[in-house]
Amino acid sequence: MVYQDNRLITLNSQDGEKLNGEYLSSIKFNFSGLLQDDIYLIRTYITVLNAQIPVSFYIIDDTDNILYYTQNSVPKTITIPIGNYNGNQMVTLLNSSFLTNGSSITAVLNSSTGILNFTITGGLSITFLDTSTIKKILGFETDITSTTLITLPYQLNLLGKKKIFINSNYLKNSAFTSKSLSSVQTIASIPVDKPPYSMINYTSVSDLERNILFNRSLDTLDIQIVDEENKYINFQNIDWSITLCLTIEKNDHEKINYSLNTLPQTNDNNIKKISRDEKELRLLES
């Protein structure tokens, strides 16, 4: 006979050890005896039952806000202030930054295609560099050089983070990601379906969201919240809450003990006694 022990674990980012400061996206929680190994343990599961996650992170953050370019082989840099932008705001900011850098470049957003065009005057040779952290947002991937007009190959992407992932190094499971084509300790993926400055209210709706754990004991767990690029979310010091359910499946030890006690015992001291594991095997076979 198998029985289940369901344990609710309520986590709030303000209660744990903040491993990346005010980002609040890598938090460690220390428990005592959350999961203890014993011979009756069959398997364990972890489920993210619900989560309340603030959309306090920005479209442009400190991981993707720098444009590197050269002007007649002279290095130039534009740093976009962290925040939320629409297309017109981005164009205005780029143009004022080019002006500040002494670059005769004018950015225009094509309203039909969503692609940025940069008109170059004054006989300058301009190269947008692929080392720019903002390149995917602006719409390019490799170096682009021109003396007259740079038309980026892809649309300006100001959608921001479309999905966030709840990971844990301590909760071992069998999730995989296409980012590295390898395993990753993801226990939930959550769409970002709310606008900035609102709240994502996530609720698990399927048993498929239950993760089998490889853990047989657990005293510590961590929560890491990352985006599609596996970069930590910056929650700007605004707290989140997550409720987990730890499901523990065990054999009924009273039934096992009763059955073990009824097994015949040998009186021959020269014969090796049946081990506890062998008795359990006989019980399962019966």
Side-chain angles (χ1 to χ4, degrees), residues 228-239:
E228 298 104 320
E229 298 294 323
N230 204 37
K231 297 175 181 176
Y232 283 115
I233 303 293
N234 185 352
F235 285 106
Q236 313 292 332
N237 206 38
I238 297 181
D239 289 300

Side-chain angles (χ1 to χ4, degrees), residues 2-274:
V2 176
Y3 73 92
Q4 285 189 350
D5 177 11
N6 293 312
R7 301 179 181 179
L8 289 182
I9 308 170
T10 302
L11 306 175
N12 190 290
S13 54
Q14 67 182 344
D15 300 326
E17 180 183 351
K18 301 173 178 61
L19 302 182
N20 63 349
E22 294 181 354
Y23 271 51
L24 297 186
S25 52
S26 182
I27 309 290
K28 182 179 177 182
F29 301 89
N30 294 309
F31 291 88
S32 178
L34 190 60
L35 173 64
Q36 294 179 323
D37 191 13
D38 62 52
I39 63 172
Y40 308 109
L41 181 64
I42 302 174
R43 66 181 63 86
T44 57
Y45 304 91
I46 195 72
T47 307
V48 178
L49 289 183
N50 59 70
Q52 295 73 47
I53 299 176
V55 190
S56 54
F57 42 90
Y58 295 132
I59 292 173
I60 303 293
D61 61 28
D62 55 5
T63 67
D64 55 13
N65 67 328
I66 299 177
L67 172 64
Y68 295 113
Y69 69 100
T70 61
Q71 176 176 302
N72 293 339
S73 300
V74 177
K76 299 280 187 178
T77 301
I78 290 176
T79 301
I80 304 297
I82 295 169
N84 296 313
Y85 296 88
N86 60 32
N88 290 332
Q89 290 170 334
M90 179 59 68
V91 166
T92 299
L93 185 56
L94 286 170
N95 285 332
S96 64
S97 299
F98 286 133
L99 183 62
T100 299
N101 280 355
S103 301
S104 299
I105 305 173
T106 302
V108 176
L109 179 63
N110 187 313
S111 60
S112 299
T113 64
I115 289 176
L116 283 169
N117 298 283
F118 298 86
T119 300
I120 304 165
T121 57
L124 302 177
S125 176
I126 300 296
T127 300
F128 289 169
L129 301 176
D130 67 357
T131 53
S132 303
T133 61
I134 200 173
K135 63 183 179 182
K136 285 190 175 181
I137 291 175
L138 295 183
F140 72 100
E141 291 184 341
T142 60
D143 290 0
I144 301 178
T145 301
S146 181
T147 58
T148 56
L149 177 67
I150 291 178
T151 298
L152 300 186
Y154 310 115
Q155 293 179 340
L156 175 66
N157 183 358
L158 294 174
L159 294 176
K161 304 180 191 308
K162 299 176 289 298
K163 183 174 285 190
I164 58 178
F165 299 86
I166 300 178
N167 294 349
S168 175
N169 288 328
Y170 285 89
L171 299 173
K172 305 297 184 182
N173 64 82
S174 57
F176 281 79
T177 175
S178 63
K179 182 66 179 175
S180 61
L181 299 178
S182 61
S183 61
V184 63
Q185 305 304 333
T186 298
I187 56 176
S189 61
I190 300 176
V192 180
D193 56 1
K194 300 295 182 181
Y197 317 123
S198 58
M199 181 77 74
I200 298 171
N201 288 293
Y202 167 82
T203 301
S204 173
V205 295
S206 171
D207 286 342
L208 294 176
E209 295 167 352
R210 186 171 70 166
N211 303 276
I212 297 177
L213 293 182
F214 302 144
N215 305 68
R216 292 190 66 87
S217 61
L218 192 64
D219 288 309
T220 301
L221 62 84
D222 64 321
I223 294 294
Q224 301 172 5
I225 306 180
V226 300
D227 63 14
E228 298 104 320
E229 298 294 323
N230 204 37
K231 297 175 181 176
Y232 283 115
I233 303 293
N234 185 352
F235 285 106
Q236 313 292 332
N237 206 38
I238 297 181
D239 289 300
W240 47 258
S241 295
I242 295 173
T243 301
L244 307 176
C245 180
L246 178 65
T247 300
I248 304 169
E249 288 187 350
K250 288 186 175 184
N251 283 312
D252 189 330
H253 63 87
E254 292 184 358
K255 181 177 180 179
I256 290 176
N257 286 336
Y258 172 78
S259 299
L260 290 176
N261 291 331
T262 61
L263 290 173
Q265 302 294 321
T266 176
N267 294 321
D268 188 349
N269 293 329
N270 295 321
I271 299 176
K272 184 180 179 180
K273 292 184 178 180
I274 298 174

